[in-house]
Amino acid sequence: MIRHARAEDSPLLFDLLLEIFEDMELPILKQLAPQTFKNVMVSCMQEDFYRYSYKNGIVLEEDGVIMGCCYGYKGELEQALNLPFQQALASYGMEDVLLFPDAETFAGEWYLDSLVTAKDHRGKGVAGKLLAALPTFARDAGESIIGLNCDKVNDRARHVYEKNGFVAHSELTLSGHLYDHMQKAID
């Protein structure tokens, strides 16, 4: 079943997202102790307005097990959605630390910020099921284009995105890695 994430899902969903953050080699992973990072993130994820708020999360759950998740939002909200995390870090005296130092999306698209399948459920079509559900969420947000970023060296992800109708639109450098910004128009 595809459903919206719930606030109580946040600790597990953080653990899934952490794999993406590690692959991206985000500088914050060296700036914060792992448990502090998780505590700050989970706290923000349980808020109504944040990049990784449960309200922006979509999960695939079967038999009570979350098999994968994704997060997305209107592109023009990216900067505002980062503020709760920045405010939380300020309470640790880390006002200048950023989760994502680079802009990732564009106004006029619903941005698929992240997509991850739990390790035990890879190869079972989880990503495809989540991607197939996205047009409904994008339309509900008033958007007719879905955008995402795919690391240039991640051929497996690129294949999944292309299979689901995404095409390269432009290139971005995020945390020192080169990405294709891909888009898909929806009806």
Side-chain angles (χ1 to χ4, degrees):
M1 146 179 82
I2 301 281
R3 65 168 174 81
H4 277 284
R6 300 179 188 122
E8 60 268 20
D9 297 329
S10 298
L12 172 64
L13 298 181
F14 168 82
D15 292 341
L16 293 176
L17 290 172
L18 184 60
E19 183 176 345
I20 295 171
F21 303 153
E22 289 171 342
D23 284 348
M24 292 181 74
E25 298 175 326
L26 294 179
I28 197 167
L29 297 174
K30 295 178 182 174
Q31 297 168 310
L32 281 178
Q35 192 58 50
T36 301
F37 181 45
K38 182 171 184 171
N39 291 345
V40 172
M41 281 288 295
V42 169
S43 174
C44 290
M45 292 170 78
Q46 293 174 333
E47 297 295 325
D48 290 345
F49 188 82
Y50 173 53
R51 177 185 201 119
Y52 297 111
S53 166
Y54 68 96
K55 289 191 172 191
N56 292 332
I58 303 162
V59 301
L60 174 62
E61 178 182 51
E62 289 185 8
D63 299 322
V65 175
I66 293 177
M67 300 173 70
C69 69
C70 61
Y71 284 83
Y73 44 83
K74 290 176 71 81
E76 61 265 17
L77 296 177
E78 180 183 22
Q79 293 305 323
L81 287 167
N82 288 332
L83 291 176
F85 187 75
Q86 295 314 122
Q87 292 166 345
L89 285 179
S91 69
Y92 287 87
M94 305 182 90
E95 297 84 7
D96 297 331
V97 175
L98 300 173
L99 180 58
F100 295 105
D102 307 300
E104 298 181 33
T105 186
F106 302 96
E109 69 180 15
W110 188 88
Y111 178 59
L112 176 60
D113 181 288
S114 54
L115 170 67
V116 63
T117 300
K119 287 181 183 177
D120 293 346
H121 299 288
R122 292 191 179 145
K124 298 178 182 177
V126 172
K129 290 175 185 175
L130 286 165
L131 287 168
L134 296 185
T136 299
F137 294 93
R139 276 190 221 97
D140 288 351
E143 298 294 357
S144 61
I145 295 173
I146 300 171
L148 59 84
N149 292 311
C150 181
D151 194 320
K152 287 269 196 186
V153 298
N154 192 340
D155 292 331
R156 186 173 183 181
R158 176 180 318 289
H159 175 73
V160 171
Y161 295 140
E162 288 174 344
K163 182 178 171 183
N164 283 276
F166 289 88
V167 296
H169 171 269
S170 57
E171 290 183 353
L172 297 171
T173 300
L174 305 171
S175 295
H177 294 251
L178 191 58
Y179 287 78
D180 278 323
H181 187 77
M182 303 178 81
Q183 291 185 331
K184 174 183 178 176
I186 56 174
D187 301 331

